[in-house]
Structure formats: structure tokens, C-alpha cells
Amino acid sequence: MGLHRNEGAPVLPREPAPPSEREFTGYQRLVYREAGIWLSPAKKALLVGRVSRRLRELGGLSFGAYLRLAEEDEAERVRLLDALCTHETHFFREPRHFELLEREVLLRWRARGDTGLGEGRRVRVWSAGCSSGEEPFSLAMVLRHHLPEEEGWDIQILATDLSTRVLERARQALWPVDKSEEIPKHYLRAYMLRGVGSQEGKMKAGPELRSLVRFQRVNLNDGQGLVGRFDLVFCRNVLIYFDAASKARAVERLLSHLSPHGLLFLGHSESLTGPGWGVRTVMPTVYAPRLPVGGATRRG
């Protein structure tokens, strides 16, 4: 008996052929222009792996056709960047940064707040490259614990990312309960809710934390839509994806939004060396604006 084709079965799009060298160069230029991220030749496999799914969704589009679509369509460029971004993060990542906050910075802020001097009890924080939200909510726990609302502390945390997809996840403030192992027990008990019923196996930030954090898509390569200055700027493990020129542009934007008394936190493999940055080192990967000669001591 012969085999017959099942006429009712859907015909799935074939796997697209890998991009040609010319097409890959086009992707390199587009991603660098839009996001400041340089795709080295070693990243070609990453591009193929992460973009192929979108090509299948579009009915089996080729890499060349999709490149032309992304060049012409802003929404599709955002989807492309979403697909290429890497989003590895943890609660209380790089513990030394949080130790600095708890043991030194927040104690100084409390003392200054008690005197009624300076900016008082208003704190503004920017978490750049916030991914799925673990960093801004770690900051929310620390700040809320040490700077209670009932004592008049006004805390606002801006969480930004290039990827709209991970920002949507971060807004939900919902994570697998396994993530609870990353959170100090006293913070976990005070601020996290354990899911029940359909949410079993998950945890969610409590309302007192969610009220502190707002989310916004910000591209560090152009900085559009970002206003104001911040007492703390966290931009950790983001600059490693930039080349020297795009890193310089991003750091300039970060520092332009850092208040004169603020602190900039970078990732453990990132640093600002040389006099051109206009910062002083507080500890490895933590920086403050350099004080002018004869300048007053600042809060951070």
C-alpha cells in the first residue's frame, strides 16, 4: 500500500536559509545604528537562532526580506531588537552594591533627612537595562525598608529597557517562586506574595513595592523620552554589549541624568578609567561626579 499525503495537514514554513554575508552586514549596521550594539561575526548564529522564529511567523520570510522590512517599519525594528537582547538577571545581583547602599549611603541619607537639609526625603532612582524587573524591585525592597513611607520618604524608581517584551514581563512583577532563594529572608517575608491556585509556583511583589516602580522603554543609544536627574543610577551588565564609541555615548547620557550628589553603579566587568569621565571612584564599579575644587560635601 502506498503512502498518501494528508491533504488536511498544514504546510509549515521551511527553515529560512542563513543570511548572506552582505545581509548579515546589513543587520550589523541596523542594530548598531538603532541600539549602539555591535554584532560581531561570532554573533551570526545568535541572530539566526533568535530571528528565525519571527521569519516563520511571517510565513517563511527570508533574512534579506526581513531586513528590508525592519529598515522600513519602526515597529518591526523594535521586535528585532527585542529578539536580539539578552536578559539574564537576578534579585540582589552583585551583593556588594547593596551592602554599600545599606551600610553607608542610606545611613547618610537618613541622617541628612533628619536635619531637613538639602533635598530632604525625596529619592529618585533609575534602573537602566532593568530586564524582567529583578533589579528595580530589589532596590525597592532596600529603599522601602530603610526609608519608610510613614517617616515621609518619597521614593520613585524608573525602570527602563530597550526590549518592550521584557518590560511587559517586569510590569507584572511576577516571577517563578524559585527566584525567592535570591532574596534575603527578611525582605522576602515583608514584601513578596506567594501565589496560590492558578498562580501556584509563582511569587509577586506586594502593592507597596509595585507603587514605587514605573516602567518606560528607553534606548540608551539615543536617550529620547528620558527627563530629570536621579540620586542612584544602576546600569549593570549593559555596556558590555557596546563598542567604545557607543559606550561613551551611553555613559555620557547616564551621567547627564545623575544628580550632583548621585551614584552610578556599573556591572562587575565594566569600569570607567581615565580622567575624561569626570567621575571619582567610590568603590570598584561605583562612581560619583567629581567634586569641584572647594565644593561642598554631597549626600551620596
Side-chain angles (χ1 to χ4, degrees), residues 127-152:
S127 171
C130 70
S131 188
S132 46
E134 287 87 336
E135 178 176 274
F137 282 100
S138 297
L139 290 166
M141 285 184 258
V142 171
L143 293 171
R144 184 78 293 167
H145 178 77
H146 289 274
L147 309 175
E149 183 178 17
E150 56 268 26
E151 294 182 9

Side-chain angles (χ1 to χ4, degrees), residues 28 80 102-103 109 150 165 243 283 285:
Q28 286 178 311
L80 171 63
E102 293 187 292
R103 295 179 182 178
W109 288 9
E150 56 268 26
R165 178 166 45 90
D243 69 357
M283 61 177 279
T285 70

Side-chain angles (χ1 to χ4, degrees), residues 215-234:
F215 298 90
Q216 180 181 338
R217 182 180 186 267
V218 170
N219 183 347
L220 286 179
N221 196 49
D222 59 34
Q224 294 181 7
L226 188 65
V227 296
R229 291 189 175 231
F230 301 88
D231 304 293
L232 303 174
V233 174
F234 277 65

